[in-house]
Amino acid sequence: MDTAGNRIKLGLFGASHAECVGFTLSGLGEGFAIDFDELRRGLIRRSAASHPFATGRHEADDLIIESGLDNGVTTGETIRFSFPNRAHRSGDYGLIARPSHADYAAFMKYGAAADIAGGGKFSGRMTLPLTAAGEICRQYLRRYGVEVFAHVLAIGGLRDERFDPVSPKIPEGDGLFPLLNEGMRGPMLALIEKTREAGDTLSCEAECAVTGVPAGVGEPLFDGVEGTLSRLLFMIPGLRGVDFGDIMEYGSETNDQFTEGGNTATNRSGGVNGGMANGMPIVFRARFRPVPSIGLPQTGFDLTEKKPVPLTISGRHDTCILPRGLAAVEAAAAIGILDLILMGE
Ligand SMILES: Cc1cc2nc3c(=O)[nH]c(=O)nc-3n(C[C@H](O)[C@H](O)[C@H](O)COP(=O)(O)O)c2cc1C
């Protein structure tokens, strides 16, 4: 399904090499003014053009407002934005499935109708409409005093510091490559460059905090905080794991002891108990696999001849999904938390 949400309904459409990608978003009601400068800053963080080591496919990400707004203010109708695809080169993609990309599974599912050019619907390009919808939800969340922010926790084996889970702070800077330990920037950039030159790709991990969520947000059983956020997060291609809080070896180390006002001295629960926010910051980590399109010789699968064939991928690709993917991680969290807050009203 290409839709998600209960009170906030999000739909994504288009594909990497289709005419456009876009989203529909309903549930915000009328009279909400969108700050487009801020929204565009979010899109710039996701844009490959902002990251010298990202894919050479540079899209302008021009935004077309199709419905739902009057002079930038919501009318109550479904909001619908689209983003034309202009810089794609479908000739870079043949009918050879790339190892560990979605090509083979998509071909088996859709047959000859599968749109595997540029990864089709399974491309990082689909995080553009997710990010735009998430930026709108993030702005709306300010009404509730909720902030969503993330940083690059790891690139390959190099790790940034963790948030203080009791009191996470928005990382300083322009948000393009946010780190808590500035000393890691040089080594991480050098590792990305070295890996890119070698034709290989890197795993990476984000850490995201959502502050200001009142205790009790989140519905029992299927619509809890972890499940709701994870469903949206796993839309982001390449994401392989989401962890909330920390599991220590013993209960005595894992339990968060109460302090005044129902707060806790530690936050190993990551702000969630029983699927509900417990009033502490919600903190989770999102782990990404290395980008599957590497430049080294591999064995692909010829979808016409139905046999393994030697494959060396030559198109334009990212070396690692972060920091580009950070804006998408924040977007997924913002959409999910807003949906849960509205469900509780
Ligand atoms: C922002 C972003 C950029 C990506 N760039 C590429 C890329 O350039 N080349 C590639 O093969 N995969 C890229 N991916 C990852 C693939 O889309 C993903 O690995 C693939 O669809 C298979 O899905 P899975 O890894 O979740 O199984 C990117 C993902 C994101 C979120």
Side-chain angles (χ1 to χ4, degrees):
M1 292 290 288
D2 47 12
T3 57
N6 289 288
R7 286 287 307 279
I8 290 290
K9 292 228 183 282
L10 170 73
L12 299 180
F13 58 87
S16 180
H17 289 195
E19 200 175 309
C20 66
V21 294
F23 72 87
T24 56
L25 185 69
S26 60
L28 297 184
E30 60 181 301
F32 177 65
I34 295 172
D35 179 337
F36 275 90
D37 290 338
E38 194 184 341
L39 190 150
R40 285 203 180 83
R41 279 198 291 278
L43 302 189
I44 286 167
R45 292 174 61 209
R46 199 212 67 92
S47 165
S50 308
H51 304 283
F53 43 82
T55 170
R57 175 179 172 185
H58 290 179
E59 290 278 6
D61 291 348
D62 290 331
L63 184 164
I64 298 171
I65 301 166
E66 297 186 1
S67 67
L69 297 183
D70 183 12
N71 270 326
V73 178
T74 58
T75 61
E77 291 294 313
T78 297
I79 302 169
R80 185 181 161 100
F81 288 7
S82 66
F83 302 85
N85 292 322
R86 297 202 176 99
H88 48 298
R89 290 198 317 228
S90 298
D92 286 350
Y93 297 84
L95 265 183
I96 311 287
R98 291 166 289 171
S100 296
H101 209 294
D103 309 335
Y104 179 78
F107 190 82
M108 295 309 285
K109 183 175 179 66
Y110 299 112
D115 167 19
I116 61 171
K121 235 182 204 350
F122 311 95
S123 159
R125 178 94 180 129
M126 296 308 293
T127 60
L128 172 61
L130 177 82
T131 301
E135 285 295 325
I136 295 172
C137 293
R138 185 218 288 273
Q139 291 179 22
Y140 199 93
L141 278 171
R142 299 235 173 87
R143 291 183 168 189
Y144 299 92
V146 172
E147 297 275 4
V148 185
F149 48 92
H151 70 109
V152 174
L153 181 61
I155 298 284
L158 299 177
R159 297 188 76 76
D160 190 14
E161 286 162 17
R162 295 270 302 270
F163 278 133
D164 169 359
V166 173
S167 181
K169 300 274 178 305
I170 299 176
E172 288 174 9
D174 57 11
L176 287 179
F177 199 145
L179 291 166
L180 303 184
N181 177 0
E182 276 301 318
M184 291 312 293
R185 185 177 305 279
M188 282 182 177
L189 287 169
L191 177 63
I192 294 170
E193 185 53 25
K194 193 172 135 216
T195 308
R196 194 181 65 79
E197 278 171 11
D200 214 339
T201 58
L202 282 163
S203 66
C204 51
E205 186 171 4
E207 188 181 38
C208 183
V210 188
T211 59
V213 183
V217 165
E219 301 299 310
L221 307 181
F222 296 115
D223 292 315
V225 171
E226 301 108 309
T228 299
L229 265 53
S230 296
R231 177 153 193 261
L232 286 151
L233 284 162
F234 274 105
M235 169 272 155
I236 305 173
L239 190 140
R240 283 296 169 156
V242 178
D243 293 293
F244 286 82
D246 286 294
I247 303 170
M248 316 301 278
E249 192 173 357
Y250 294 103
S252 56
E253 300 166 322
T254 308
N255 290 352
D256 298 308
Q257 304 302 317
F258 282 107
T259 58
E260 294 300 314
N263 290 334
T264 52
T266 53
N267 185 15
R268 306 235 160 79
S269 303
V272 191
N273 292 117
M276 295 166 290
N278 64 15
M280 297 296 287
I282 295 171
V283 183
F284 66 87
R285 297 178 302 287
R287 285 174 284 127
F288 292 91
R289 54 154 298 143
V291 165
S293 297
I294 62 174
L296 301 168
Q298 302 187 83
T299 305
F301 194 79
D302 188 318
L303 295 168
T304 317
E305 301 291 327
K306 305 268 184 293
K307 59 174 192 191
V309 285
L311 172 69
T312 302
I313 298 168
S314 60
R316 304 164 296 174
H317 295 283
D318 292 288
T319 304
C320 46
I321 288 172
L322 298 179
R324 280 188 74 197
L326 274 186
V329 169
E330 293 170 11
I335 296 163
I337 290 295
L338 179 57
D339 195 28
L340 292 176
I341 288 177
L342 295 178
M343 280 170 82
E345 285 186 345

